[in-house]
Amino acid sequence: MRILLVASAFNSLTQRVHAELRDRGHAVAVELALAEGALTEAVRRHDPQLVVAPMLRTAIPEEVWSAYTCLIVHPGPPGDRGPSSLDWAIHDGAEEWGVTVLQADAEMDAGDVWATMPCRVPPVAKSDLYRGEIADAALAAVLVAVARFADGSYAPRPQDGTAVRVRPYLGQGVRRIDWAADPTATVVRKLRAADSQPGVLDELLGAEWYLHGGHPEGVLRGRPGELLATRAGAVCRATADGAVWIPEVRARRLPGGPPTFKLPAVLALGDLLPPLPEHAPPVLPGLPDDGDPSSWADIRYREDGAVGRLSWSFPGGAMSTDRCRRLLAAYREACARPTSVLLLGGERDFFSNGIHLNVIEAAADSAAESRANIEAIDDLVEAVLTTTDRLVVAAVAGNAAAGGVMLALAADEVWCRAGAVLNPHYRLMGLYGSEYWTHTLPRRVGPAAAERLMDRALPVSAAGALRLGLVDRVLDCAPGAFAAETGALAAHLASRPATAARITAKKTEQQRREAETPLAAVREAELTRMRATFDDPAAPYHTLRHAFVTKRRPDATPPHLARFVSPASQTSSNPSGGRFTGTAPHGVPSRPHG
Ligand code: COA
């Protein structure tokens, strides 16, 4: 079918729907709902067989829904209505939630139901939930709805008889934290319900800030509202009965002032911060002890027999210079441990989205910070590429983009959760790219496919990545099960006699590759291009980065999204054959792992 995706932004869920519908043989195009009135004309021009709206903040005009079947993805169970569904679900402490696919009509969220899918609500932040359990439920519901529509005989169910609950926008009045009275559990719930947008508006050190993200602290205590310590760029603040870590804040925009954007809290608060102790993360140094599990750390190491796991959780998947350096230090320590398999990657959500564009934007010298950040991430990738005494497995629990994908490709194997979306390209940020991609990407997918991936700049589903050879294994499991599943697979890998032989062969292979193409030359060639971009004030990178961090709406749908992409035009070759653990989507070989 020709399916047009209408969305307020080409966000993670829209990307996943785009990639997974293409996987199933549909031709897909995107139209962003930007200017008033433009949507009607755009839909007429595309003349699709079906319109799907994975994330739409505005209503579909009557001229559109009366002429085309339009399926709206609502992140709530049947009967739930309003613009802040997930915020309310987390705010109210719901343990079960759902996604409903409705037909657009005159009243928002009131149309006939094409499909609905329940899901669990684990204790995580809203955006993590959205990219995890909600996205899984949404995809399942969209695929059912599309199949029902294609079948032609399904009649969507009217909502008569469904208990309707219309809830308003969840405003700052309800979100506000009462530091003197709110216990840690309430503060964390309020912060999670507001992540990543809009944050919780608060007063801190004489100014107004939106607080982003929140993790309970197990040990530190103080006068409610007082700042107690810093850790890895986050600040710790006392609650009525404990304390929380706040990783990021955003200054409130002043009337007529420049747009503000999120930054690590210590960086944003800067000179306003009183002297505070840096409360070192419990994980480092001190491997293999995982530290105090009741406390928060953005980098952790765990060990189980011959398997080590170095995991991280960076907001937005962004790897600043500081994060890359701390992760490299942890990686080196992990490599000093007597393990034969090392898993790399966070337990949930983003794997990595490459260099930290917000920190770069905020730097006094953005070109210098870009250079420092790219060198730091390259150092990390190089350490992975040159590890020869154990197998390194990238465990990609969630989405990855640009240099973040290339970080995964540096590992010996890449295992990916079925729901992850990969964006293995840089050009939308005006960058040539680094992280040794010119070495790893063509080696994995072949030069022609590598060029197509870079050039088309489209998201790739996990199943699509497996077909291409970009990843080696896809695990069809819930977000909360990924860590345990990869742990079990890694233990099995470590126990196989063939693994020792593989590790021995790795060193020889690495020496052969180094003789053929020295890594230093690869790095220098990439960095020469990158430095030229960073140091050129007229390079589009600077404008694109500014637009990205300040979330400027594009003027028009980007041309590479606005045209229908037919499945036949996709790259598809994985001669070595990967593994799909679980139910195989269309066109993916399903094999038991062993
Ligand atoms: N630096 C800083 N922040 C980043 C980031 C990066 N490299 N990549 C993502 N983020 C942040 C976003 O600003 C957003 O923040 P928010 O929670 O305040 O809204 C959050 O992570 C989620 O990103 P978003 O763009 O909303 O997610 P998405 O799933 O819709 O899109 C990407 C994912 C990866 C396609 C998109 O974020 C992107 O293009 N990132 C930049 C990738 C890049 O060019 N990296 C630099 C080259 S190595």
Side-chain angles (χ1 to χ4, degrees), residues 11-12 15 131 196-197 262 316 318 350 353-358 401-403 423 426 429 431 435 548 551:
N11 77 331
S12 56
Q15 292 171 28
R131 288 184 287 263
S196 63
Q197 303 295 336
K262 264 197 287 191
F350 283 129
N353 284 328
I355 57 177
H356 201 314
L357 298 166
N358 295 36
N423 275 287
Y426 298 85
M429 202 52 68
L431 292 171
E435 295 94 3
F548 177 80
K551 303 191 183 301

Short mmCIF file of all heavy atoms in Angstrom, two decimals, residues 11-12 15 131 196-197 262 316 318 350 353-358 401-403 423 426 429 431 435 548 551, ligand 1:
data_model
loop_
_atom_site.label_atom_id
_atom_site.label_comp_id
_atom_site.label_asym_id
_atom_site.label_seq_id
_atom_site.Cartn_x
_atom_site.Cartn_y
_atom_site.Cartn_z
N ASN A 11 9.63 12.03 14.72
CA ASN A 11 10.20 11.60 16.00
C ASN A 11 10.43 10.09 16.01
O ASN A 11 10.17 9.40 15.03
CB ASN A 11 9.27 12.05 17.15
CG ASN A 11 8.05 11.14 17.26
OD1 ASN A 11 7.60 10.56 16.29
ND2 ASN A 11 7.51 11.04 18.46
N SER A 12 10.88 9.60 17.17
CA SER A 12 11.28 8.19 17.24
C SER A 12 10.17 7.24 16.81
O SER A 12 10.42 6.29 16.07
CB SER A 12 11.75 7.85 18.65
OG SER A 12 10.73 8.16 19.58
N GLN A 15 9.59 7.43 13.10
CA GLN A 15 10.70 6.75 12.41
C GLN A 15 10.50 5.23 12.44
O GLN A 15 10.72 4.55 11.45
CB GLN A 15 12.02 7.08 13.11
CG GLN A 15 12.45 8.53 12.98
CD GLN A 15 13.65 8.84 13.85
OE1 GLN A 15 14.45 7.97 14.16
NE2 GLN A 15 13.77 10.08 14.26
N ARG A 131 9.61 5.49 24.13
CA ARG A 131 10.44 4.80 23.13
C ARG A 131 10.47 3.29 23.37
O ARG A 131 10.96 2.55 22.52
CB ARG A 131 11.87 5.36 23.15
CG ARG A 131 11.98 6.75 22.56
CD ARG A 131 13.43 7.23 22.51
NE ARG A 131 13.93 7.57 23.82
CZ ARG A 131 13.98 8.80 24.33
NH1 ARG A 131 13.56 9.82 23.62
NH2 ARG A 131 14.46 9.02 25.53
N SER A 196 10.73 14.02 28.52
CA SER A 196 11.76 15.01 28.38
C SER A 196 11.17 16.42 28.24
O SER A 196 11.86 17.41 28.45
CB SER A 196 12.60 14.69 27.16
OG SER A 196 11.78 14.77 25.99
N GLN A 197 9.91 16.48 27.87
CA GLN A 197 9.22 17.76 27.77
C GLN A 197 7.99 17.72 28.66
O GLN A 197 7.34 16.68 28.72
CB GLN A 197 8.79 18.04 26.32
CG GLN A 197 9.92 18.04 25.32
CD GLN A 197 10.91 19.15 25.55
OE1 GLN A 197 10.57 20.18 26.14
NE2 GLN A 197 12.14 18.95 25.11
N LYS A 262 18.33 22.31 27.06
CA LYS A 262 18.76 21.47 28.18
C LYS A 262 20.26 21.29 28.20
O LYS A 262 20.89 21.12 27.15
CB LYS A 262 18.16 20.07 27.99
CG LYS A 262 16.91 19.83 28.73
CD LYS A 262 16.59 18.37 28.84
CE LYS A 262 16.12 17.73 27.58
NZ LYS A 262 15.58 16.38 27.76
N GLY A 316 19.19 11.55 26.45
CA GLY A 316 19.21 11.82 25.01
C GLY A 316 20.26 11.00 24.26
O GLY A 316 20.49 11.23 23.07
N ALA A 318 23.24 11.28 24.43
CA ALA A 318 24.29 12.21 23.99
C ALA A 318 25.58 11.97 24.77
O ALA A 318 25.57 11.90 26.00
CB ALA A 318 23.81 13.65 24.18
N PHE A 350 18.05 4.65 24.71
CA PHE A 350 19.11 4.99 23.76
C PHE A 350 20.41 4.23 24.02
O PHE A 350 20.89 4.16 25.15
CB PHE A 350 19.44 6.48 23.87
CG PHE A 350 18.44 7.38 23.20
CD1 PHE A 350 17.90 8.45 23.89
CD2 PHE A 350 18.05 7.19 21.89
CE1 PHE A 350 16.99 9.31 23.29
CE2 PHE A 350 17.14 8.03 21.27
CZ PHE A 350 16.61 9.09 21.97
N ASN A 353 23.61 8.50 20.72
CA ASN A 353 23.32 9.38 19.57
C ASN A 353 24.52 10.23 19.21
O ASN A 353 24.39 11.31 18.63
CB ASN A 353 22.11 10.28 19.88
CG ASN A 353 20.80 9.50 19.81
OD1 ASN A 353 20.67 8.57 19.02
ND2 ASN A 353 19.85 9.87 20.64
N GLY A 354 25.72 9.75 19.59
CA GLY A 354 26.94 10.45 19.18
C GLY A 354 27.25 11.66 20.05
O GLY A 354 26.78 11.77 21.20
N ILE A 355 28.01 12.57 19.49
CA ILE A 355 28.53 13.71 20.27
C ILE A 355 27.39 14.56 20.82
O ILE A 355 26.30 14.58 20.25
CB ILE A 355 29.52 14.56 19.44
CG1 ILE A 355 28.87 15.07 18.15
CG2 ILE A 355 30.77 13.76 19.13
CD1 ILE A 355 29.77 15.98 17.32
N HIS A 356 27.68 15.28 21.92
CA HIS A 356 26.63 16.02 22.64
C HIS A 356 26.46 17.40 22.02
O HIS A 356 27.20 18.34 22.33
CB HIS A 356 27.01 16.13 24.12
CG HIS A 356 25.85 16.40 25.01
ND1 HIS A 356 24.90 17.36 24.73
CD2 HIS A 356 25.47 15.83 26.18
CE1 HIS A 356 23.99 17.36 25.69
NE2 HIS A 356 24.32 16.44 26.58
N LEU A 357 25.43 17.51 21.18
CA LEU A 357 25.26 18.76 20.42
C LEU A 357 24.88 19.93 21.32
O LEU A 357 25.26 21.07 21.05
CB LEU A 357 24.21 18.52 19.33
CG LEU A 357 24.64 17.43 18.32
CD1 LEU A 357 23.46 16.99 17.47
CD2 LEU A 357 25.78 17.92 17.43
N ASN A 358 24.17 19.68 22.42
CA ASN A 358 23.79 20.78 23.32
C ASN A 358 25.01 21.34 24.04
O ASN A 358 25.17 22.56 24.16
CB ASN A 358 22.77 20.30 24.36
CG ASN A 358 21.45 19.90 23.75
OD1 ASN A 358 21.42 19.35 22.66
ND2 ASN A 358 20.37 20.15 24.43
N ALA A 401 22.02 6.57 16.81
CA ALA A 401 22.15 7.38 15.60
C ALA A 401 23.59 7.85 15.42
O ALA A 401 24.35 7.92 16.38
CB ALA A 401 21.23 8.61 15.67
N ALA A 402 23.91 8.14 14.16
CA ALA A 402 25.18 8.76 13.77
C ALA A 402 26.35 8.01 14.44
O ALA A 402 26.44 6.79 14.34
CB ALA A 402 25.14 10.25 14.11
N GLY A 403 27.22 8.77 15.14
CA GLY A 403 28.37 8.14 15.76
C GLY A 403 28.00 7.08 16.78
O GLY A 403 28.79 6.18 17.07
N ASN A 423 19.82 5.01 13.01
CA ASN A 423 20.01 6.04 11.98
C ASN A 423 21.50 6.13 11.65
O ASN A 423 22.21 6.98 12.18
CB ASN A 423 19.48 7.39 12.49
CG ASN A 423 17.99 7.54 12.27
OD1 ASN A 423 17.54 7.74 11.15
ND2 ASN A 423 17.22 7.40 13.33
N TYR A 426 25.03 10.74 8.95
CA TYR A 426 25.42 12.00 9.60
C TYR A 426 24.93 13.23 8.84
O TYR A 426 25.02 14.33 9.34
CB TYR A 426 26.94 12.13 9.67
CG TYR A 426 27.69 11.08 10.46
CD1 TYR A 426 28.06 9.87 9.88
CD2 TYR A 426 28.10 11.33 11.77
CE1 TYR A 426 28.80 8.92 10.59
CE2 TYR A 426 28.84 10.41 12.48
CZ TYR A 426 29.19 9.20 11.89
OH TYR A 426 29.92 8.28 12.60
N MET A 429 22.98 16.36 9.93
CA MET A 429 23.63 17.33 10.84
C MET A 429 24.78 18.02 10.12
O MET A 429 25.58 18.72 10.73
CB MET A 429 24.13 16.60 12.09
CG MET A 429 24.34 17.45 13.32
SD MET A 429 22.93 18.48 13.78
CE MET A 429 21.75 17.23 14.30
N LEU A 431 27.41 16.76 8.71
CA LEU A 431 28.73 16.22 9.06
C LEU A 431 29.14 15.08 8.12
O LEU A 431 28.28 14.32 7.65
CB LEU A 431 28.70 15.69 10.50
CG LEU A 431 28.55 16.75 11.60
CD1 LEU A 431 28.32 16.09 12.95
CD2 LEU A 431 29.78 17.66 11.64
N GLU A 435 34.27 8.44 14.07
CA GLU A 435 34.07 7.19 14.81
C GLU A 435 34.46 5.97 13.97
O GLU A 435 33.88 4.90 14.09
CB GLU A 435 32.60 7.05 15.31
CG GLU A 435 32.19 8.08 16.33
CD GLU A 435 31.50 9.31 15.73
OE1 GLU A 435 31.29 9.34 14.48
OE2 GLU A 435 31.20 10.25 16.48
N PHE A 548 18.69 22.21 15.80
CA PHE A 548 18.40 20.95 16.51
C PHE A 548 18.27 21.18 18.01
O PHE A 548 17.29 20.76 18.63
CB PHE A 548 19.51 19.92 16.23
CG PHE A 548 19.33 18.63 16.98
CD1 PHE A 548 18.43 17.67 16.55
CD2 PHE A 548 20.05 18.38 18.15
CE1 PHE A 548 18.25 16.48 17.25
CE2 PHE A 548 19.88 17.20 18.86
CZ PHE A 548 18.98 16.25 18.40
N LYS A 551 15.30 23.20 18.98
CA LYS A 551 14.07 22.54 18.51
C LYS A 551 13.27 23.43 17.56
O LYS A 551 12.05 23.56 17.70
CB LYS A 551 13.21 22.10 19.70
CG LYS A 551 13.96 21.16 20.64
CD LYS A 551 13.06 20.53 21.65
CE LYS A 551 13.86 19.65 22.62
NZ LYS A 551 14.60 18.57 21.96
N1 COA B 1 23.22 15.61 21.37
C1 COA B 1 22.40 16.18 22.30
N2 COA B 1 21.14 15.81 22.48
C2 COA B 1 20.67 14.82 21.70
C3 COA B 1 21.46 14.21 20.71
C4 COA B 1 22.79 14.62 20.58
N3 COA B 1 23.62 14.05 19.71
N4 COA B 1 20.71 13.28 20.09
C5 COA B 1 19.49 13.31 20.67
N5 COA B 1 19.47 14.26 21.63
C6 COA B 1 18.35 14.61 22.51
C7 COA B 1 17.31 15.43 21.80
O1 COA B 1 17.59 16.80 21.83
C8 COA B 1 16.07 15.10 22.60
O2 COA B 1 16.05 15.88 23.76
P1 COA B 1 14.67 16.20 24.50
O3 COA B 1 14.42 15.01 25.33
O4 COA B 1 14.98 17.42 25.25
O5 COA B 1 13.62 16.42 23.47
C9 COA B 1 16.33 13.66 23.03
O6 COA B 1 17.71 13.43 22.89
C10 COA B 1 15.62 12.68 22.13
O7 COA B 1 15.95 13.05 20.81
P2 COA B 1 14.84 13.31 19.70
O8 COA B 1 15.49 14.01 18.56
O9 COA B 1 13.63 13.91 20.30
O10 COA B 1 14.58 11.80 19.44
P3 COA B 1 14.10 11.15 18.15
O11 COA B 1 14.00 9.72 18.52
O12 COA B 1 12.94 11.85 17.63
O13 COA B 1 15.30 11.34 17.08
C11 COA B 1 17.65 11.18 16.44
C12 COA B 1 16.50 10.63 17.31
C13 COA B 1 18.88 10.46 16.91
C14 COA B 1 17.40 10.89 14.96
C15 COA B 1 17.83 12.68 16.62
O14 COA B 1 17.85 12.96 18.01
C16 COA B 1 19.15 13.19 16.05
O15 COA B 1 19.22 13.44 14.87
N6 COA B 1 20.18 13.35 16.91
C17 COA B 1 21.46 13.87 16.50
C18 COA B 1 22.36 12.79 15.98
C19 COA B 1 23.67 13.42 15.53
O16 COA B 1 23.72 14.08 14.53
N7 COA B 1 24.72 13.25 16.34
C20 COA B 1 25.93 13.97 16.12
C21 COA B 1 26.85 13.34 15.15
S1 COA B 1 27.78 12.01 15.90
#
